[in-house]
Amino acid sequence: MWEKLLCQFLSAMMVTDRLSLTMPDGTIRDFGPDTGQRIHLAIKDEATLRALVLNPDLGMGEGYMNGTISPQNCTMDDVMATLVRNRQAGHMPGWMQAANRARFHMRRFIQHNAPKRARQNVAHHYDLSDDLYRLFLDEDMQYSCAYFADPEMTLEQAQAAKKAHIAAKLRLEPGMRVLDIGCGWGGMAMTLARDYGCEVMGITLSENQLATAEQRVEAAGLGDKVRFNLQDYRHTTGTYDRIVSVGMLEHVGVPNFNTYFSKVSDLLDPDGVALIHTIGRSGPPMAHSSWINKYIFPGGYVPSLSELAGPMEKSGLWQCDIEVWRLHYATTIRHWRERFNANLDTIRITYDERFVRMFQYYLTVCIMAFEHQMQGVYHFQLAHKRDAVPLTRAYLHPGQTAPKPVPQPARRPVTTPAQ
């Protein structure tokens, strides 16, 4: 039964490439035209067939983690890119469309993310051992998209470029009070204090990250300029000259977008500037990956721009600038995956093979999302006043010469017909 249903599904989905499946009994079934990319997967048991039919996203991820789905003479990059391409071009059976719609409409319940649940969600991923993250992140432990101003940059250089780009948008001055919402291991806060002379308050829900951030600040001698709190953004008070939030909005959830942007507005000084850095979709809203929600980021969600526009408008803040980064995150994660795989011997001392495969799958599907789906990174520069920042982006690149105006053809004189 499950094999028959899976074959019906794949026959409708595979329209541009060729998929071969080795079934649990050893037979090989082919789907799609004999053109385009060719991929081959082996499925080792009936339970995996059933999982792929009931929830393809979850079944594929768990099958790879458990070793019951394995690529044959191709890579997981080949597999995932091909499946994404054909899923977008092909047809989903009615029962799968209905399941996707149900998951989409359930997101307001799944992503309620009350303060207690939000802390549990953060602990699930961010309170893993720092030793693991040090093996694949840059030296400053930036766990967000880097900015490859030059494609030849190292990961360290691109993460430094990201922080400098954000700092430039914040228009910082020595002594300014800065709030860092979702401060991670403290790298952004330390940079703004050390390099720009700001007084920074970082808030996080991760006990592990908080402890590490405090240790780093103490070791750097920045204790008089940087403080951290284990605190939900909804419970934060005070007024700040600048607010920065990098990679945190993805954990807020659809039901809380109004609250989030309203809180940014309340905390921001009347003359202040906020910079929100977040993953986002350049396409209509859709159900989030059930595998990602279960194993990596419970309660997480990548919002579409349309879902953020309303809450930003209701906050009363000016959208002084919106910048979109395309493919920068794919390049970032490729660096992470290369470093993760280079350290597998060390990782396997602490973690079992299922965890290793889970993390490799996580990094791979994220790369595919940025390379083959409508996913990028948004920078929202917000302020109470429309002139809180310069009216052009020239201030971000002070050394560049303004482009010369393009010559326009001479206009013909306008003649009035004789009356």
Side-chain angles (χ1 to χ4, degrees), residues 244-296:
V244 63
S245 184
V246 179
M248 185 270 181
L249 184 58
E250 302 93 316
H251 302 285
V252 168
V254 172
N256 302 305
F257 288 153
N258 284 327
T259 300
Y260 176 85
F261 285 104
S262 175
K263 193 64 177 178
V264 170
S265 179
D266 291 344
L267 294 169
L268 188 63
D269 184 85
D271 295 315
V273 178
L275 192 287
I276 312 300
H277 167 126
T278 182
I279 302 171
R281 276 183 51 77
S282 184
M286 62 180 291
H288 200 37
S289 164
S290 51
W291 185 85
I292 291 286
N293 277 150
K294 181 176 180 179
Y295 289 98
I296 307 299

Side-chain angles (χ1 to χ4, degrees), residues 16 94 115 138 296:
T16 64
D138 66 301
I296 307 299

